[in-house]
Amino acid sequence: MGWLTDSWSQLGETIARSALIFLAAVVLLRMARRRTVAQWTVVDVVTAVSIGSVVGRTATADSESVLTGLVALVTLVALHALVIEARRLPGVRRVTDHRVRVLVAEEQVRHRELRRCGLTPADLEERLRLQGVRDLGEVRYVLFERQGGLTVVGRDDTAQAPLVASALDDAAGWSPQPRTR
């Protein structure tokens, strides 16, 4: 019957190991370039990978009980829910989420920001073409969003539109330059 259950101390150790590896994975993936986890939050990626690992190991390893695997899964799902809720707090959000980056401002590609996001100029050009942009002259700003999407603010769009202004105010590495035109 050992294949089905473990001792209480071993289950506690499984909870602690699961929590530690989850937090370590969140920190490491948060430090990775966004291209790695585009369209998912870091917390989502860590949870998906961890769950896949636990499911695979529990299903195939003779040395791990089903109950231990279930405890690990419940721990991971609970941590995911806890972190997702805690992201409402600015301090937690700073640790788990990327900030908006301004990739293009007033027709100028900001190469340093591209590098920070793990993108090349060719990647940027492809994404702009896919959004129907044919010339940087059409663009006031290109924002690289938290989850890897692009927002294109056209030359004719109002720069002070509330959602654009909010993104610019919160953008990492951004301070507005006086217009030279």
Side-chain angles (χ1 to χ4, degrees):
M1 192 79 161
W3 63 271
L4 184 59
T5 63
D6 282 320
S7 69
W8 288 109
S9 64
Q10 192 168 5
L11 293 177
E13 181 181 325
T14 298
I15 291 170
R17 284 187 323 192
S18 298
L20 285 174
I21 200 69
F22 178 87
L23 295 174
V26 166
V27 169
L28 290 172
L29 279 173
R30 175 60 178 89
M31 293 183 335
R33 294 189 173 186
R34 272 197 268 188
R35 186 178 183 103
T36 307
V37 294
Q39 302 302 322
W40 279 20
T41 67
V42 171
V43 175
D44 296 333
V45 171
V46 169
T47 302
V49 170
S50 300
I51 286 173
S53 175
V54 168
V55 168
R57 189 177 57 250
T58 301
T60 60
D62 290 336
S63 61
E64 182 141 355
S65 74
V66 172
L67 185 56
T68 297
L70 289 172
V71 168
L73 285 176
V74 168
T75 301
L76 293 168
V77 170
L79 283 170
H80 181 262
L82 180 69
V83 171
I84 294 302
E85 255 328 286
R87 287 175 55 239
R88 295 178 191 279
L89 302 171
V92 172
R93 193 171 42 250
R94 273 192 299 277
V95 171
T96 61
D97 294 1
H98 289 281
R99 289 176 58 198
V100 171
R101 294 266 176 190
V102 180
L103 301 181
V104 175
E106 302 296 341
E107 301 180 31
Q108 298 299 308
V109 175
R110 302 180 74 225
H111 293 279
R112 183 175 175 181
E113 296 303 312
L114 282 178
R115 276 193 305 279
R116 283 187 170 153
C117 296
L119 298 171
T120 66
D123 294 332
L124 175 64
E125 291 169 5
E126 175 186 0
R127 288 182 176 203
L128 289 174
R129 285 190 304 270
L130 288 170
Q131 290 200 22
V133 175
R134 303 293 179 238
D135 184 332
L136 280 181
E138 303 171 28
V139 173
R140 177 168 287 161
Y141 300 111
V142 175
L143 307 177
F144 193 52
E145 301 290 354
R146 291 181 319 100
Q147 294 183 0
L150 286 188
T151 297
V152 176
V153 179
R155 174 122 331 267
D156 298 331
D157 294 341
T158 304
Q160 295 305 316
L163 291 177
V164 173
S166 172
L168 290 172
D169 287 345
D170 190 47
W174 170 253
S175 59
Q177 311 295 323
R179 289 191 65 159
T180 57
R181 294 184 159 237

